[in-house]
Amino acid sequence: MKKITNILTSALLVVIFTSCVDDSEGIADEIRGVPNVIGFENNSAAVSAVAGGAETSFEKSIVVAIKGATKGSVSGDVTATISIDTENSTAIEGTHFELPVTSFTIGEGDNSFSEFKFNMLTEGIQAPLAENPVLVLNISSVTGDGNVVAGAPITINMLYLCFADLSGTYTVTNDFCNPTYQVEISQNPDGSWYATVLDGAFLNRCTSNVTLENWGNFNEVCGVIQPSTDLRFGSLGIGIVLDGTWDQDNGILTMSHEDTFFNGGPFMWTSTYTRN
């Protein structure tokens, strides 16, 4: 069996340098002079819905936030207006989505976070599509506290799913160290899937981190597994999903993975999940 260093001993060290010169007032002035930003929490997102079902409109939520060094001093409500970037969007309003509202407000009592909601439409959509529609939204204007400006746009990948049922208990193995491990897969409210271990048991069976299960979320689109970094340790590059397939008839999920965290990598392997 291949063994890889413990995740704790491989962690990155962050060194904070402090100036020997006392220029705290000047630095404070610079911080106060930088405006806060209102916009989307992330620059990209994926939303999904099953096409061809009885329900044809699905409400989707995108997290929005006020960010900045002085966000705690923002007073009153701040409202951002949303506009569609028609030049860079391939999603069609009225066919793939609708915007019941075109603004959102973050108040003083919201802890700088809120949600922007829109509807993903499926009526008349036959999955799978040749290409996933993409919706790009801009923050076109901001009203309220004058020290808050518009943030960056968001690119939303709209995934139209065929009916699939991946729920159940699986025996998983991988061709990196050939373990045997039991995993549960269940569906999330948005139609994506959650696995108690999504890296093929790489982290907790092929390394010395036996207590760390690398759970995560992924999307299946008509038998094809979409790339996913939405794992417990995905931000570190551990076990991210590159691609895969789902065999509904036989209950077999196959995925390709990559690790860029541990020394000696990158490592790549294939995992096989067989439903019990």
Side-chain angles (χ1 to χ4, degrees), residues 39-54:
F40 304 102
E41 174 70 0
N42 298 299
N43 292 333
S44 63
V47 296
S48 60
V50 176

Side-chain angles (χ1 to χ4, degrees), residues 205-226:
R205 285 296 177 266
C206 302
T207 81
S208 58
N209 300 279
V210 294
T211 64
L212 298 180
E213 292 185 326
N214 200 8
W215 42 257
N217 302 291
F218 65 99
N219 279 292
E220 180 271 349
V221 181
C222 302
V224 178
I225 305 303
Q226 304 296 301

Side-chain angles (χ1 to χ4, degrees), residues 200-251:
F202 168 80
L203 181 61
N204 64 326
R205 285 296 177 266
C206 302
T207 81
S208 58
N209 300 279
V210 294
T211 64
L212 298 180
E213 292 185 326
N214 200 8
W215 42 257
N217 302 291
F218 65 99
N219 279 292
E220 180 271 349
V221 181
C222 302
V224 178
I225 305 303
Q226 304 296 301
S228 176
T229 59
D230 189 13
L231 288 77
R232 182 184 183 184
F233 300 108
S235 62
L236 298 177
I238 300 175
I240 62 174
V241 178
L242 301 177
D243 55 36
T245 59
W246 165 244
D247 182 342
Q248 178 73 41
D249 292 336
N250 296 301

Side-chain angles (χ1 to χ4, degrees), residues 4 52 72 130 149 209:
I4 300 180
V149 299
N209 300 279

Side-chain angles (χ1 to χ4, degrees), residues 10-272:
S10 298
L12 298 176
L13 298 177
V14 179
V15 180
I16 301 176
F17 294 96
T18 58
S19 173
C20 297
V21 180
D22 185 7
D23 191 24
S24 57
E25 190 59 36
I27 294 174
D29 287 340
E30 289 185 20
I31 292 174
R32 284 192 290 266
V34 176
N36 297 294
V37 172
I38 186 171
F40 304 102
E41 174 70 0
N42 298 299
N43 292 333
S44 63
V47 296
S48 60
V50 176
E55 189 175 357
T56 60
S57 179
F58 298 83
E59 186 178 74
K60 303 298 178 181
S61 297
I62 302 295
V63 177
V64 292
I66 296 177
K67 300 179 181 180
T70 59
K71 67 179 182 180
S73 65
V74 173
S75 60
D77 294 347
V78 180
T79 299
T81 301
I82 302 290
S83 63
I84 303 167
D85 185 342
T86 55
E87 183 176 346
N88 293 301
S89 296
T90 58
I92 301 171
E93 188 172 11
T95 298
H96 302 113
F97 72 95
E98 60 183 8
L99 303 182
V101 296
T102 55
S103 66
F104 63 86
T105 298
I106 299 179
E108 285 186 270
D110 293 333
N111 198 28
S112 299
F113 286 91
S114 187
E115 290 183 334
F116 174 73
K117 296 182 179 181
F118 69 98
N119 294 329
M120 181 174 177
L121 307 178
T122 63
E123 185 175 3
I125 302 294
Q126 297 295 321
L129 301 181
E131 293 183 1
N132 297 321
V134 173
L135 172 61
V136 182
L137 298 176
N138 294 322
I139 306 294
S140 57
S141 64
V142 177
T143 58
D145 191 304
N147 197 39
V148 180
V149 299
I154 187 172
T155 300
I156 303 171
N157 194 22
M158 306 182 71
L159 307 176
Y160 284 93
L161 314 179
C162 302
F163 171 79
D165 182 9
L166 282 74
S167 58
T169 302
Y170 291 75
T171 299
V172 62
T173 188
N174 66 61
D175 60 7
F176 190 90
C177 67
N178 301 303
T180 298
Y181 202 70
Q182 297 299 300
V183 174
E184 294 289 334
I185 295 180
S186 57
Q187 191 166 34
N188 295 316
D190 66 355
S192 64
W193 297 92
Y194 169 80
T196 53
V197 167
L198 186 55
D199 64 354
F202 168 80
L203 181 61
N204 64 326
R205 285 296 177 266
C206 302
T207 81
S208 58
N209 300 279
V210 294
T211 64
L212 298 180
E213 292 185 326
N214 200 8
W215 42 257
N217 302 291
F218 65 99
N219 279 292
E220 180 271 349
V221 181
C222 302
V224 178
I225 305 303
Q226 304 296 301
S228 176
T229 59
D230 189 13
L231 288 77
R232 182 184 183 184
F233 300 108
S235 62
L236 298 177
I238 300 175
I240 62 174
V241 178
L242 301 177
D243 55 36
T245 59
W246 165 244
D247 182 342
Q248 178 73 41
D249 292 336
N250 296 301
I252 298 175
L253 172 65
T254 305
M255 291 182 287
S256 299
H257 306 267
E258 182 181 42
D259 171 82
T260 58
F261 178 81
F262 290 102
N263 292 333
F267 300 103
M268 302 185 74
W269 64 95
T270 298
S271 65
T272 302

